[in-house]
């Protein structure tokens, strides 16, 4: 996949040689929508006894909870952003990380732009397939985005008002 940024030990890195593709015609590991992914899997994979060679593309109408029995079989989950105005992917990512305990790669794909990256990171994304017509170097600046977060996130589950009080309590 082209135009990919991945977080490695908290640092954003441009990935030049990512093998994953969304195009079913490609001769490479595929990222497939849920229905197509299920059709290509063996019984062992569907029962969680083997890891799939294919990644899963979670689309906006898919329910993350439906993936619970499949999580052990997935090498990566990509979440589609069909438009930068569509925020459902943020919620899907947050649910996968917090409620379902997904620890594997969580990749944002589709209409992914610089201004979204800091928020995507807070929701649990650790890889970002930036739209092909945008600069990766410019997009990296988007991950430096927010210096202080007020609300909860996957990275920091305590809201700001709890963090301030916690620091004072630890000094006593």
């Amino acid at each position: 996949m082209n135009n990919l940024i991945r977080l490695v030990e908290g640092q954003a890195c441009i990935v030049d040689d990512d093998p994953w593709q969304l195009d079913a015609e490609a001769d490479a590991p595929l990222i497939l929508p849920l229905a197509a992914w299920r059709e290509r899997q063996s019984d062992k994979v569907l029962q969680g006894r083997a890891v799939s060679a294919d990644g899963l593309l979670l689309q906006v109408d898919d329910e993350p909870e439906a993936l619970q029995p499949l999580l052990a079989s997935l090498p990566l989950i990509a979440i589609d952003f069909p438009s930068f105005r569509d925020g459902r992917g943020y919620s899907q990512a947050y649910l996968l990380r917090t409620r379902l305990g997904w620890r594997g790669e969580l990749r944002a794909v589709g209409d992914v732009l610089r201004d979204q990256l800091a928020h995507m990171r807070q929701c649990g994304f650790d890889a970002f397939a930036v739209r092909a017509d945008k600069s990766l170097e410019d997009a990296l600046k988007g991950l430096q985005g927010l210096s202080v977060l007020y609300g909860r996130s996957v990275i920091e589950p305590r809201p700001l008002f709890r963090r301030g009080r916690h620091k004072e309590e630890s000094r006593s």
Side-chain angles (χ1 to χ4, degrees), residues 38-54:
R38 284 184 192 272
E39 288 175 13
R40 288 177 46 107
Q41 305 311 309
S42 69
D43 288 338
K44 283 179 121 177
V45 169
L46 293 173
Q47 294 166 359
R49 296 182 301 154
V51 176
S52 174
D54 301 316

Side-chain angles (χ1 to χ4, degrees), residues 23-122:
D23 182 6
E25 302 299 317
D27 185 25
L30 298 176
I31 301 173
L32 300 168
L34 184 56
W37 184 88
R38 284 184 192 272
E39 288 175 13
R40 288 177 46 107
Q41 305 311 309
S42 69
D43 288 338
K44 283 179 121 177
V45 169
L46 293 173
Q47 294 166 359
R49 296 182 301 154
V51 176
S52 174
D54 301 316
L56 182 87
L57 176 64
L58 193 63
Q59 296 175 314
V60 294
D61 293 333
D62 294 333
E63 293 295 330
E65 291 84 358
L67 301 182
Q68 180 71 52
L70 305 173
L71 291 178
S73 300
L74 295 170
L76 77 83
I77 298 173
I79 296 180
D80 185 33
F81 284 82
S83 165
F84 76 95
R85 291 176 283 226
D86 191 331
R88 291 175 283 184
Y90 296 100
S91 299
Q92 290 172 321
Y94 190 80
L95 290 172
L96 281 165
R97 291 287 193 207
T98 59
R99 289 193 189 157
L100 301 176
W102 174 251
R103 297 289 170 242
E105 181 175 325
L106 190 55
R107 182 179 295 195
V109 299
D111 199 11
V112 177
L113 305 172
R114 169 191 170 160
D115 293 346
Q116 298 166 292
L117 300 186
H119 293 291
M120 287 177 169
R121 184 179 193 175
Q122 296 305 313

